[in-house]
Amino acid sequence: GESGVDVIVNSQNPLDIIRSDSSITHPSNNINFLSISDHVINTSNELFVLDDTLKSIFKFDISGMLTLDKAILNNDTPGRLMTGMIGSPGDVSEKNRFFNPTSMVSVDDLIYVLDFHPQQGTVVKQFDSQLNWKRNYNLGLSLSAGPIDIEYNTGTNGFYVLCHTTAYGGQPTEPLLVEFDHLFNHIQTTPLMDKSKHDVNIMLENFRSINFSIENPNIMYI
């Protein structure tokens, strides 16, 4: 949602819909979501939510939603119980703080977060499922066009980052797709438009995300 996490559950009664659309992160901490930029669910069915204004990641147990636990569904944040958080405003080189976290992805229950600084470059910060820092991958200025979204492809075992300067202001440039291997070694950078063939107004479009086909990981949607 614009200011909170939306959870909708359809039980055996299709008219019984449970929504969690408040901005509350957890009833006891007095912290409200300000700007949710991304969320992922790992293979253990844990929900991670990235707030790019708070520069923080929040972890939630959503088993109550999956099992329709009434004790969880009837509280102030129905369907989710916050079990951890990490982050605060900081520098791209720091372990547990963020300058401009733009996107994250979960791979084998590890969390990878893109943290971007237009002059200092981009760092991918790796955390385990308990939000313990594991390592930083310094990508330098290879994403100077401005990273928007990161996704992982099971077919190539690689990471793909969508970049476009319009997300950060300034003069629009051509959108790019940057591919890395599983250790974030650069593979290739591919322009998503050909200035000699395509309408230049493509540079003004708002590129938002990468999605790989579930049936065929060789198919990509942007």
Side-chain angles (χ1 to χ4, degrees), residues 163-177:
C163 298
H164 198 206
T165 53
T166 55
Y168 301 91
Q171 189 68 26
T173 59
E174 60 185 3
L176 302 173
L177 184 69

Side-chain angles (χ1 to χ4, degrees), residues 92-133:
V92 292
S93 63
E94 295 183 81
K95 298 178 181 179
N96 297 320
R97 301 203 294 170
F98 305 96
F99 180 81
N100 183 23
T102 63
S103 178
M104 62 182 176
V105 66
S106 175
V107 182
D108 296 330
D109 279 353
L110 293 173
I111 306 296
Y112 297 83
V113 184
L114 271 176
D115 197 11
F116 173 66
H117 190 290
Q119 284 78 45
Q120 298 175 15
T122 301
V123 173
V124 174
K125 301 178 180 180
Q126 182 193 72
F127 302 90
D128 65 18
S129 62
Q130 303 302 314
L131 293 179
N132 297 308
W133 177 85

Side-chain angles (χ1 to χ4, degrees), residues 4 8 22 46 48 136 150 166 171 192 208 218:
I8 301 177
S22 76
E46 297 167 313
F48 298 83
N136 282 357
I150 182 171
T166 55
Q171 189 68 26
L192 295 178
R208 297 186 182 278
N218 193 44

Side-chain angles (χ1 to χ4, degrees), residues 4-191:
V5 176
D6 291 345
V7 179
I8 301 177
V9 178
N10 291 307
S11 68
Q12 295 179 349
N13 179 359
L15 298 179
D16 183 11
I17 297 176
I18 302 162
R19 287 181 57 90
S20 175
D21 56 5
S22 76
S23 61
I24 300 171
T25 60
H26 190 274
S28 66
N29 65 11
N30 295 317
I31 300 175
N32 287 355
F33 288 113
L34 297 179
S35 176
I36 293 176
S37 59
D38 204 359
H39 73 280
V40 296
I41 298 176
N42 64 10
T43 55
S44 300
N45 286 322
E46 297 167 313
L47 171 67
F48 298 83
V49 179
L50 174 63
D51 190 305
D52 58 8
T53 298
L54 295 173
K55 318 293 185 187
S56 298
I57 301 172
F58 300 85
K59 177 185 175 182
F60 297 93
D61 177 357
I62 56 172
S63 59
M65 178 189 73
L66 301 176
T67 60
L68 297 182
D69 183 339
K70 292 297 183 181
I72 299 296
L73 297 175
N74 291 330
N75 69 16
D76 291 336
T77 55
R80 55 187 168 95
L81 175 65
M82 196 178 87
T83 57
M85 66 172 291
I86 192 173
S88 62
D91 193 79
V92 292
S93 63
E94 295 183 81
K95 298 178 181 179
N96 297 320
R97 301 203 294 170
F98 305 96
F99 180 81
N100 183 23
T102 63
S103 178
M104 62 182 176
V105 66
S106 175
V107 182
D108 296 330
D109 279 353
L110 293 173
I111 306 296
Y112 297 83
V113 184
L114 271 176
D115 197 11
F116 173 66
H117 190 290
Q119 284 78 45
Q120 298 175 15
T122 301
V123 173
V124 174
K125 301 178 180 180
Q126 182 193 72
F127 302 90
D128 65 18
S129 62
Q130 303 302 314
L131 293 179
N132 297 308
W133 177 85
K134 301 288 288 183
R135 66 172 295 179
N136 282 357
Y137 294 92
N138 189 350
L139 306 185
L141 297 175
S142 62
L143 303 179
S144 59
I148 299 170
D149 190 33
I150 182 171
E151 289 297 332
Y152 180 79
N153 186 284
T154 56
T156 63
N157 292 322
F159 292 90
Y160 294 75
V161 181
L162 177 65
C163 298
H164 198 206
T165 53
T166 55
Y168 301 91
Q171 189 68 26
T173 59
E174 60 185 3
L176 302 173
L177 184 69
V178 187
E179 180 183 355
F180 300 90
D181 67 15
H182 68 288
L183 294 176
F184 286 97
N185 297 302
H186 179 262
I187 302 297
Q188 63 179 346
T189 297
T190 306

